Amino acid sequence: MIRCLAIDDEPLALQQLVAYISKVPFLELAAQCQSALEARSFLENDTVDAIFCDINMPDLNGMDFVKSLAVPPLVVFTTAYSEYAVEGFRVNAVDYLLKPFGLQDFQRAANRLKDRLSETASASDISLSSFHSPLSSDILFLKTDYRIVKVCIPDIRYIEAMSEYLKVWIEGEPKPIITLLSMKKIEERLPDYFMRIHRSYIINLNKIQEVNKNRVIMDQDTYLPIGDLYKDSFQTYLNTRFLGK
């Protein structure tokens, strides 16, 4: 499924956009927003794969909103003004829907989103496998925001799954690296001091500060749950290292 964010300041246009999303089997509506500022607030706490975004909005227009995102999702612009088309493609928009548009036009844009995500996923897998070698087994290269960044594996604190993306949290860095990759794929590349403790979390066992009931405490602000499917393996790990009565 492709998680989508719908943004339009006109209630009727937003309602139509939401209705079209519901008619495409591989699209999932994550949220609908009536302003770019509302959408920005949503993205501070969640991630999506794609945005359907009106351009001509008050306070912050859609074009400037997308440009302001550190890691922008794929974008389809919707607007009644054809003069924005060229600028839309300059910010790497997947498609541009000129209002009023019908379901057939929307389906075409949705298919382009699906194709682009497939291409990006393939490129991420190639990037990861190409840079991995026995001579640098403690190094990974991850694709993020049109860049390929080097990651020292021992510095990874934990990895968090968000839909089709991963958040890779690094020691000393306030923000995670966000990459389009599956938990299974990155888990295959990690050494044995990493363990999956939840369907959404892989942790660096060397970074644990405390274990409290069904939670792993990585620091004073980070409490990660231990999933039922992973309790036994994690408890076995603790038992082999536990000293006490």
Side-chain angles (χ1 to χ4, degrees), residues 136-152:
S136 57
S137 58
D138 61 344
I139 296 294
L140 288 179
F141 284 83
L142 299 176
K143 186 175 183 180
T144 179
D145 192 20
Y146 310 109
R147 299 175 295 128
I148 296 176
V149 297
K150 183 178 76 171
V151 176
C152 293

Side-chain angles (χ1 to χ4, degrees), residues 115-139:
D115 292 342
R116 182 75 68 86
L117 276 172
S118 297
E119 292 169 4
T120 306
S122 298
S124 295
D125 288 347
I126 292 170
S127 298
L128 189 59
S129 60
S130 296
F131 284 105
H132 181 83
S133 72
L135 296 177
S136 57
S137 58
D138 61 344
I139 296 294

Side-chain angles (χ1 to χ4, degrees), residues 48-84:
V48 295
D49 303 310
I51 295 175
F52 291 90
C53 183
D54 185 29
I55 294 178
N56 193 28
M57 294 186 290
D59 297 324
L60 179 64
N61 71 51
M63 198 74 66
D64 290 337
F65 164 65
V66 171
K67 290 177 182 177
S68 73
L69 298 176
V71 185
L74 297 180
V75 179
V76 174
F77 283 118
T78 65
T79 185
Y81 301 93
S82 59
E83 60 266 27
Y84 286 116

Side-chain angles (χ1 to χ4, degrees), residues 151 155-160 166-177 201 222:
V151 176
D155 292 338
I156 298 175
R157 297 175 59 238
Y158 66 96
I159 297 165
E160 179 181 1
L166 298 181
K167 288 184 176 181
V168 182
W169 293 88
I170 306 296
E171 189 77 37
E173 297 293 335
K175 294 183 178 181
I177 295 170
Y201 295 103
T222 308

